[in-house]
Short mmCIF file of all heavy atoms in Angstrom, two decimals:
data_model
loop_
_atom_site.label_atom_id
_atom_site.label_comp_id
_atom_site.label_asym_id
_atom_site.label_seq_id
_atom_site.Cartn_x
_atom_site.Cartn_y
_atom_site.Cartn_z
N ALA A 325 0.64 -2.80 0.37
CA ALA A 325 0.51 -2.13 -0.96
C ALA A 325 1.21 -0.76 -0.98
O ALA A 325 1.61 -0.36 -2.05
CB ALA A 325 -1.01 -1.96 -1.23
N GLN A 326 1.35 -0.12 0.19
CA GLN A 326 1.92 1.22 0.20
C GLN A 326 3.39 1.24 0.72
O GLN A 326 3.88 2.32 0.92
CB GLN A 326 1.01 2.14 1.04
CG GLN A 326 -0.42 2.18 0.60
CD GLN A 326 -1.26 3.27 1.25
OE1 GLN A 326 -0.80 3.90 2.19
NE2 GLN A 326 -2.49 3.45 0.74
N ALA A 327 3.96 0.08 0.94
CA ALA A 327 5.15 0.12 1.81
C ALA A 327 6.29 -0.74 1.24
O ALA A 327 7.11 -1.27 2.04
CB ALA A 327 4.79 -0.32 3.24
N GLN A 328 6.46 -0.85 -0.05
CA GLN A 328 7.58 -1.70 -0.54
C GLN A 328 8.90 -1.09 -0.11
O GLN A 328 9.21 0.05 -0.47
CB GLN A 328 7.57 -1.69 -2.09
CG GLN A 328 6.32 -2.23 -2.76
CD GLN A 328 5.27 -1.16 -2.98
OE1 GLN A 328 5.33 -0.11 -2.45
NE2 GLN A 328 4.32 -1.51 -3.84
N GLY A 329 9.63 -1.87 0.65
CA GLY A 329 10.97 -1.38 1.10
C GLY A 329 10.98 -0.79 2.49
O GLY A 329 12.05 -0.39 3.00
N ALA A 330 9.85 -0.74 3.18
CA ALA A 330 9.78 -0.29 4.55
C ALA A 330 10.35 -1.37 5.51
O ALA A 330 10.30 -2.49 5.20
CB ALA A 330 8.40 0.18 4.92
N TYR A 331 10.81 -0.87 6.69
CA TYR A 331 11.31 -1.80 7.67
C TYR A 331 10.56 -1.66 9.00
O TYR A 331 10.18 -0.58 9.36
CB TYR A 331 12.80 -1.50 7.94
CG TYR A 331 13.65 -1.97 6.85
CD1 TYR A 331 13.86 -1.30 5.67
CD2 TYR A 331 14.45 -3.12 7.04
CE1 TYR A 331 14.75 -1.77 4.63
CE2 TYR A 331 15.32 -3.63 6.07
CZ TYR A 331 15.46 -2.90 4.89
OH TYR A 331 16.30 -3.40 3.90
N TYR A 332 10.37 -2.84 9.60
CA TYR A 332 9.80 -2.91 10.92
C TYR A 332 10.89 -3.51 11.83
O TYR A 332 11.28 -4.66 11.59
CB TYR A 332 8.53 -3.70 11.00
CG TYR A 332 7.95 -3.96 12.36
CD1 TYR A 332 7.26 -2.92 12.94
CD2 TYR A 332 8.13 -5.16 13.02
CE1 TYR A 332 6.71 -3.11 14.27
CE2 TYR A 332 7.57 -5.34 14.34
CZ TYR A 332 6.89 -4.30 14.92
OH TYR A 332 6.36 -4.48 16.15
N LYS A 333 11.29 -2.79 12.84
CA LYS A 333 12.35 -3.27 13.74
C LYS A 333 13.54 -3.84 12.89
O LYS A 333 14.00 -4.97 13.15
CB LYS A 333 11.84 -4.32 14.74
CG LYS A 333 10.80 -3.72 15.66
CD LYS A 333 10.31 -4.67 16.76
CE LYS A 333 9.31 -3.92 17.67
NZ LYS A 333 8.62 -4.80 18.60
N ASN A 334 13.94 -3.07 11.94
CA ASN A 334 15.05 -3.43 11.07
C ASN A 334 14.96 -4.66 10.20
O ASN A 334 15.88 -5.16 9.64
CB ASN A 334 16.33 -3.59 11.91
CG ASN A 334 16.69 -2.32 12.69
OD1 ASN A 334 16.58 -1.25 12.14
ND2 ASN A 334 17.01 -2.46 13.96
N LYS A 335 13.71 -5.15 10.07
CA LYS A 335 13.42 -6.28 9.10
C LYS A 335 12.45 -5.78 8.06
O LYS A 335 11.50 -5.06 8.31
CB LYS A 335 12.79 -7.42 9.84
CG LYS A 335 13.77 -8.48 10.37
CD LYS A 335 13.04 -9.63 11.07
CE LYS A 335 12.29 -10.50 10.10
NZ LYS A 335 11.53 -11.57 10.80
N PRO A 336 12.70 -6.18 6.75
CA PRO A 336 11.79 -5.69 5.74
C PRO A 336 10.37 -6.17 5.92
O PRO A 336 10.16 -7.34 6.28
CB PRO A 336 12.36 -6.28 4.45
CG PRO A 336 13.35 -7.32 4.84
CD PRO A 336 13.77 -7.05 6.25
N ILE A 337 9.41 -5.34 5.72
CA ILE A 337 7.97 -5.78 5.80
C ILE A 337 7.73 -6.76 4.63
O ILE A 337 8.48 -6.76 3.65
CB ILE A 337 7.03 -4.57 5.79
CG1 ILE A 337 7.18 -3.75 4.56
CG2 ILE A 337 7.16 -3.79 7.07
CD1 ILE A 337 6.21 -3.97 3.50
N GLY A 338 6.71 -7.54 4.79
CA GLY A 338 6.36 -8.47 3.70
C GLY A 338 6.71 -9.89 4.13
O GLY A 338 6.42 -10.87 3.41
N SER A 339 7.32 -10.07 5.29
CA SER A 339 7.71 -11.39 5.72
C SER A 339 7.19 -11.80 7.05
O SER A 339 7.58 -12.79 7.66
CB SER A 339 9.27 -11.43 5.74
OG SER A 339 9.74 -10.49 6.67
N PHE A 340 6.25 -11.01 7.59
CA PHE A 340 5.80 -11.24 8.99
C PHE A 340 4.56 -12.11 9.09
O PHE A 340 4.51 -12.97 9.96
CB PHE A 340 5.58 -9.88 9.68
CG PHE A 340 6.81 -9.12 9.91
CD1 PHE A 340 7.31 -8.21 9.00
CD2 PHE A 340 7.60 -9.37 11.06
CE1 PHE A 340 8.44 -7.49 9.23
CE2 PHE A 340 8.78 -8.68 11.26
CZ PHE A 340 9.23 -7.74 10.38
N GLY A 341 3.59 -11.88 8.27
CA GLY A 341 2.32 -12.65 8.44
C GLY A 341 2.35 -13.96 7.67
O GLY A 341 3.37 -14.40 7.29
#
Side-chain angles (χ1 to χ4, degrees):
Q326 303 189 352
Q328 300 91 343
Y331 283 77
Y332 175 76
K333 297 185 179 170
N334 301 317
K335 267 181 71 183
I337 57 100
S339 58
F340 290 93

